[in-house]
Amino acid sequence: MANRFLRPHLIHRFSTLSPVGPPSTVVPDILSFDQPKPDVDLDLSDQARLFASVPISDLVRSTAVLHATAIGPMVDFGSWVMSSKLMETTFTRDLVLRFVKGTFYDHFCAGEDADAAARRVTSVYESRGLKGMLVYGVEHAEDDSECDNNIKKFIETVEAAKTLPTSHLSSVVIKITAICPMSLLKRVSDLLRWQYKNPGYKLPWKLHSFPVFSGSSPLYHTTSEPKPLSLEEEQGLEKAHERIKSICRRCQESNVPLLIDAEDTILQPAIDYMAYWSAIMFNSDKDRPIVYNTIQAYLKDAGERLHLALRESDKMNVPIGFKLVRGAYMSSEGKLADSLGFKSPVHDTIQETHACYNECMSFLMEKASNGSGIAVILATHNTDSGKLGARKASELGIDKEDGKIEFAQLYGMSDALSLGLKRAGFNVSKYMPYGPVETAVPYLIRRAYENRGMMSTGALDRQLMRMELKRRIMAW
């Protein structure tokens, strides 16, 4: 099942790692969230001002969780427990899940169901001025039964999103891997790669889409001609198409943007293909695209594929949204490529990844600023990219309130950057997964590994939160 406890091979993968609604609620003036300051530089040094809206109880828990995840052996032990036979014993399982729920789960997740998640979105906006990106936290499905159950949950997410004021909500997020079986996504990706290598190769099931490959895209996953999809596989693909259409249609009717998350390169061609034909079908409003695809800047071909997709969208006069991220599968990508005798599709150095992200960010911001129907969500935990994006917006004269440019961070991470960008006048969102605790375990393990070590993503937050706790205690 897609929501079973962490499989051992996933533990290894993680350990080697990335509207319709009621009127807007009035935010207290003292928080100054709705008073943009376009000429203020992004300042992350004043922790008292950044965390002014955060209760001391939340500061204590957040500081404790982030410090715990910085301890490598503790993270490794926790991962081992979650994949061990201890979880097969009811007493131990319940004990572990209660501990996880009261600590890591409450810090990184929004709740156990859609209604609880919507309440958390409201709470975060009204206390901090940060919007919510709602996502049901299931990751992978292996058969149509799981996919059917998952699409129902995603539809519930849209229904919960509709109840929220538009000021509170950024978007709903889905994973194609949760609504199309993994084995089928791999088959479709293989066939798309083979067609790119052999342009005359026919795919009778293929819908019109944007380009999903460039000249530098990795094609080594498919070394020989794949068999055509069987009748059963074609029927499965049609079911997946219908699931995607159903949630796109619901989002379009509700005016709720839909973000499609990215995966490994072994599956990504099929995901890009589905994201782009969905955009062609449902993105009819130039001022507010419904479907967003995700670009992973740690891939060497990211910039080229982004340019090709935008060139095609311009040609077809189809608005499109993009979420720009760095990426989360560096180790597994490198190991697969090496096992097949190829270089990794990921940039050779972190500096090259940073440069690619910043170049794609600048390009997308320029496109979005000229009224071309492009909307951008800049998902980053990197403070340098945040500062560069803020400066670029000022240079381009971008209207920070029109929704074309938005910054985003994961819930429970990089709060200093989120709050600093919000204070500078930008729309800022938190990626907020929800679902039963056991369903969220793979997600939580990834967050723990991303925060481990003194120089991790959470280092700045740990330092500033510790300083703010000390300041408040000394003031008593």
Side-chain angles (χ1 to χ4, degrees):
M1 297 292 291
N3 63 349
R4 69 179 60 160
F5 282 102
L6 209 59
R7 302 167 184 138
H9 77 278
L10 288 179
I11 284 286
H12 176 70
R13 173 174 166 182
F14 296 150
S15 65
T16 55
L17 293 170
S18 85
V20 177
S24 300
T25 302
V26 176
V27 178
D29 290 340
I30 191 171
L31 299 179
S32 300
F33 289 143
D34 292 324
Q35 299 173 19
K37 302 173 183 177
D39 299 322
V40 176
D41 289 332
L42 185 60
D43 181 9
L44 305 182
S45 63
D46 188 345
Q47 87 284 348
R49 181 171 290 180
L50 287 174
F51 294 107
S53 62
V54 182
I56 193 167
S57 58
D58 288 356
L59 272 178
V60 170
R61 187 192 65 193
S62 297
T63 303
V65 168
L66 291 177
H67 274 79
T69 57
I71 302 171
M74 182 178 292
V75 173
D76 293 334
F77 177 72
S79 300
W80 174 81
V81 168
M82 297 307 296
S83 63
S84 73
K85 291 187 177 180
L86 290 173
M87 300 305 292
E88 297 175 7
T89 304
T90 301
F91 174 78
T92 308
R93 176 180 186 264
D94 291 346
L95 186 66
V96 169
L97 290 181
R98 279 199 298 270
F99 171 76
V100 169
K101 184 179 188 307
T103 52
F104 302 98
Y105 178 89
D106 283 346
H107 181 78
F108 292 114
C109 298
E112 295 199 61
D113 57 38
D115 290 338
R119 291 194 296 272
R120 184 68 65 90
V121 169
T122 298
S123 172
V124 169
Y125 181 81
E126 291 182 353
S127 64
R128 307 179 195 184
L130 304 175
K131 295 184 174 184
M133 304 165 72
L134 275 180
V135 51
Y136 178 61
V138 67
E139 306 230 333
H140 300 147
E142 298 182 14
D143 56 45
D144 281 332
S145 175
E146 291 182 16
C147 292
D148 288 339
N149 289 332
N150 292 338
I151 194 63
K152 291 176 184 175
K153 293 294 185 180
F154 287 128
I155 295 296
E156 287 179 11
T157 308
V158 179
E159 293 302 308
K162 284 169 55 178
T163 69
L164 294 167
T166 55
S167 59
H168 292 32
L169 181 79
S170 162
S171 52
V172 164
V173 186
I174 64 167
K175 284 185 170 289
I176 299 295
T177 52
I179 56 176
C180 182
M182 298 277 285
S183 58
L184 184 54
L185 285 172
K186 186 177 183 304
R187 290 273 288 127
V188 171
S189 293
D190 279 336
L191 286 161
L192 289 170
R193 275 188 287 266
W194 192 255
Q195 186 187 55
Y196 182 75
K197 292 180 180 180
N198 303 274
Y201 190 72
K202 302 298 183 184
L203 299 175
W205 43 263
K206 187 178 177 184
L207 302 176
H208 191 40
S209 184
F210 297 161
V212 300
F213 301 108
S214 75
S216 59
S217 292
L219 303 173
Y220 50 75
H221 312 78
T222 310
T223 56
S224 60
E225 181 177 346
K227 293 181 181 179
L229 293 184
S230 67
L231 177 60
E232 183 180 0
E233 287 174 322
E234 285 201 30
Q235 290 172 344
L237 183 59
E238 180 57 30
K239 289 178 183 177
H241 286 170
E242 291 303 316
R243 292 186 196 104
I244 297 170
K245 289 177 186 176
S246 69
I247 193 165
C248 287
R249 191 175 298 114
R250 194 68 63 93
C251 286
Q252 187 181 57
E253 292 168 353
S254 307
N255 200 25
V256 172
L258 180 70
L259 273 59
I260 295 176
D261 265 345
E263 289 286 341
D264 312 68
T265 55
I266 198 168
L267 304 174
Q268 194 59 41
I271 294 170
D272 284 341
Y273 155 72
M274 293 181 182
Y276 290 140
W277 71 247
S278 300
I280 292 169
M281 189 172 294
F282 292 97
N283 284 0
S284 56
D285 185 349
K286 264 192 168 294
D287 293 326
R288 189 175 170 86
I290 292 297
V291 179
Y292 286 62
N293 195 23
T294 298
I295 297 292
Q296 300 176 97
Y298 74 165
L299 296 174
K300 295 173 182 175
D301 69 339
E304 291 180 359
R305 287 190 296 108
L306 175 62
H307 279 73
L308 288 171
L310 280 172
R311 183 186 304 168
E312 191 68 15
S313 73
D314 286 343
K315 186 189 304 182
M316 296 178 63
N317 199 29
V318 174
I320 182 70
F322 285 100
K323 181 179 71 164
L324 181 64
V325 303
R326 277 173 169 77
Y329 306 106
M330 180 172 65
S331 181
S332 59
E333 292 284 12
K335 287 182 178 179
L336 176 61
D338 186 63
S339 71
L340 297 173
F342 291 87
K343 289 193 66 175
S344 172
V346 176
H347 288 296
D348 296 330
T349 67
I350 187 63
Q351 289 77 20
E352 289 174 343
T353 293
H354 291 332
C356 182
Y357 185 95
N358 293 338
E359 288 168 7
C360 289
M361 175 176 66
S362 295
F363 173 66
L364 284 168
M365 292 179 77
E366 288 168 4
K367 294 286 287 185
S369 69
N370 66 16
S372 58
I374 304 301
V376 186
I377 294 179
L378 302 169
T380 181
H381 295 162
N382 183 281
T383 55
D384 289 337
S385 292
K387 291 176 179 179
L388 177 63
R391 288 197 299 271
K392 186 73 175 179
S394 178
E395 292 170 7
L396 295 171
I398 288 175
D399 182 351
K400 300 175 185 178
E401 295 299 304
D402 71 358
K404 289 294 186 70
I405 301 290
E406 180 178 312
F407 287 90
Q409 289 78 41
L410 296 171
Y411 183 60
M413 292 176 63
S414 297
D415 285 352
L417 179 58
S418 299
L419 295 167
L421 286 164
K422 180 60 189 176
R423 283 192 57 80
F426 292 97
N427 282 309
V428 184
S429 297
K430 286 294 193 179
Y431 182 102
M432 302 175 74
Y434 76 89
V437 179
E438 58 267 29
T439 302
V441 166
Y443 179 83
L444 294 173
I445 292 292
R446 283 206 301 279
R447 300 294 77 80
Y449 274 107
E450 286 172 2
N451 281 282
R452 67 185 290 171
M454 294 310 294
M455 299 303 291
S456 70
T457 297
L460 177 62
D461 275 6
R462 289 198 301 272
Q463 177 188 4
L464 293 177
M465 287 178 179
R466 193 167 58 242
M467 291 168 59
E468 176 60 7
L469 276 174
K470 181 179 179 181
R471 186 194 68 80
R472 293 190 191 184
I473 292 170
M474 295 295 290
W476 282 353

